[in-house]
Amino acid sequence: MSSSAFTVAPDGKQLNALVKVEDPDTFNEPIHMTQRWRKVDNPLLETVCAENNADHFNQGLFPIPEAKKFDF
């Protein structure tokens, strides 16, 4: 059996995840794991990557425009 809890720090700048795993057949005692993420003030910038964007699984994705000839 496992359980998890997500909490936000009072100042709103940190997200905490606590996971507890209990499996008597595998572990002698419960395992407690914590992961913390800190909020930073860096803006998220949009980036575009035109490589490997083919529709490999035939999902009907909108095709990415491709130039007819090279720019150089």
Side-chain angles (χ1 to χ4, degrees):
M1 175 178 191
S2 66
S3 62
S4 60
F6 290 88
T7 57
V8 177
D11 63 358
K13 293 189 176 186
Q14 185 169 314
L15 175 66
N16 301 313
L18 175 62
V19 177
K20 179 181 177 184
V21 178
E22 296 179 88
D23 186 356
D25 294 335
T26 307
F27 306 115
N28 294 331
E29 59 185 43
I31 293 178
H32 299 268
M33 297 174 279
T34 301
Q35 177 68 48
R36 293 183 178 94
W37 294 274
R38 290 186 311 262
K39 183 177 181 181
V40 294
D41 292 330
N42 295 339
L44 293 175
L45 302 175
E46 181 178 358
T47 58
V48 177
C49 180
E51 297 177 0
N52 300 321
N53 285 321
D55 189 7
H56 296 290
F57 300 103
N58 301 321
Q59 297 293 314
L61 302 175
F62 186 77
I64 293 178
E66 295 182 10
K68 301 284 185 210
K69 61 180 183 171
F70 295 110
D71 290 338
F72 50 90

